[in-house]
Amino acid sequence: MLSLRICGKVACEHWAMFQFTERALTRLPELVRAAVERCAAEVPYYRTISKELLDGDVSSAFAAAIRLHTQTLSEDRALNATELAVITDWSARRAADGLPLDAALAAYMVGTTACWDLLTADATPEEMRRYGAHTLRYLASVIPAVALAHLHEQQQIEGQRRDQRSRLVLALLVGEPASELAAQCGVRLAPAYLVLLLHLGPGPGDSRQTVRHVQTALDAHQRTDVLATLTAEGGTVLLPADSDGHAMDALPDLVTQVAAATARPVTASVSAAPDHAGIPAALAEAKQVADLVARLNRPPGLYRLEDVLLEYQLARPGRALTGLAAKLDPLDSRPDLLATVESFVRHGHNRSHASAELRVHRNTLDYRLTKVAKMTGIDLTRPEGLRLLDAAVTARALAR
């Protein structure tokens, strides 16, 4: 007898919900209109949509969602895999069309609230309870599916955007036509560019984090998306140039910002291209400067060709470079004297600074320099002798 009563009660409840869902389907046009109007009033993105689109594709999408919600309520079940796949596909297409994730999620919540207000106005407490419980179960399935679809689509779009921008940077660097690629990327090309090469020293952070920090620092400095190809070790950056030189003057500050953002020492070289055709030559010059700075073991910072003019010229292959480097060959058996000469030159012939770096007495330094003069034949008491020593140390470093 008890089981019959329970079965009868369950049957009555199912019949009541069947009647509730039938009323809902009968009022489908009214529910769709209420949901769309409330979204247009409360969700900022939907305020930008034309009335024709709201009455067309948007209303059709809302009708499908409300129908599915009602169907699963009538059958007292959760969404199945096929239905979730349809929602996921639809959400991905809307994301590709430009619908923001926050607007998509808000539309589900606002639309559901509009339907709730209409359908519960004349519902019984039991109908409201079951309708509310099912709505929560429905949204618990839909919201994650919508969010994942949008995020996946955004990742694909961002990946395509990065690939397009990388192709654009490469085209500019090798001197290929770039106007069409720039249009596809939505980039307005500058008439002239500074080609900046960045080299990051060792430090904390994984590769993706480092690249993100560098790009963020570049974008913040320029206040726009900067064209760059970056890795965890550095990369190539194209910065718009200006006729008054302000862009070049601001580069030391930019290098400092990148170093601060990555917590890593940054060495940079830069060259200016007067137009797009000059970018490959500017890149080649910046690479030569970067190579010189690395071979000479210069400290982190920003370097231009003007900063290494002598070294650049000395680096040209030939008998002069070989001859200059050979001036110090007599010291090969005396590493202490070689270290003394390098420190003496590095500190601009300042004997006090050199002796402090070497941790020797000033008299010891003088004795070593006298020994260097005798072994090499370079007169360190004359200006031309000091210039020759400087050139020999540089040539030896370049010849390694």
Side-chain angles (χ1 to χ4, degrees), residues 170 176 350:
L170 180 60
E176 294 180 352
N350 188 305

Side-chain angles (χ1 to χ4, degrees), residues 28-40:
L28 183 60
E30 179 187 3
L31 295 174
V32 171
R33 185 169 59 255
V36 171
E37 288 178 353
R38 185 170 292 191
C39 280

Side-chain angles (χ1 to χ4, degrees), residues 132-314:
H134 180 77
T135 297
L136 291 176
R137 180 171 62 177
Y138 177 83
L139 290 176
S141 297
V142 169
I143 295 301
V146 172
L148 287 174
H150 271 255
L151 291 175
H152 180 68
E153 187 63 28
Q154 286 301 317
Q155 288 173 348
Q156 289 187 320
I157 292 173
E158 182 59 27
Q160 293 171 355
R161 175 179 175 271
R162 285 196 301 268
D163 290 343
Q164 286 180 329
R165 290 174 70 89
S166 294
R167 289 196 296 271
L168 172 60
V169 174
L170 180 60
L172 289 168
L173 291 176
V174 300
E176 294 180 352
S179 298
E180 185 175 339
L181 275 173
Q184 293 173 1
C185 298
V187 173
R188 184 176 180 179
L189 294 176
Y193 281 95
L194 301 177
V195 181
L196 181 70
L197 299 185
L198 297 174
H199 175 72
L200 276 62
D206 58 32
S207 298
R208 287 179 297 178
Q209 185 182 55
T210 298
V211 170
R212 185 171 65 252
H213 287 330
V214 174
Q215 187 69 58
T216 299
L218 293 171
D219 295 346
H221 183 270
Q222 294 296 119
R223 299 183 181 180
T224 187
D225 290 341
V226 173
L227 293 175
T229 56
L230 302 172
T231 68
E233 287 71 43
T236 305
V237 183
L238 291 175
L239 299 172
D242 49 35
S243 58
D244 55 16
H246 286 168
M248 184 71 80
D249 294 340
L251 288 184
D253 181 56
L254 172 59
V255 172
T256 300
Q257 290 180 24
V258 173
T262 59
R264 297 168 68 173
V266 178
T267 305
S269 60
V270 64
S271 181
D275 50 34
H276 295 174
I279 291 177
L283 173 63
E285 181 177 288
K287 285 182 176 179
Q288 290 175 322
V289 173
D291 178 63
L292 280 174
V293 169
R295 290 163 66 186
L296 294 168
N297 198 28
R298 292 290 180 85
L302 176 70
Y303 294 89
R304 299 173 296 172
L305 179 60
E306 291 78 0
D307 299 318
V308 289
L309 277 177
L310 175 62
E311 294 83 355
Y312 180 85
Q313 192 59 44
L314 286 174

Side-chain angles (χ1 to χ4, degrees), residues 37-72:
E37 288 178 353
R38 185 170 292 191
C39 280
E42 297 182 12
V43 182
Y45 176 81
Y46 281 86
R47 296 175 197 156
T48 66
I49 298 178
S50 66
K51 187 177 186 305
E52 291 75 16
L53 190 57
L54 287 173
D55 292 340
D57 291 348
V58 174
S59 291
S60 297
F62 273 70
I66 295 171
R67 193 179 291 110
L68 179 59
H69 183 196
T70 305
Q71 178 184 343
T72 52

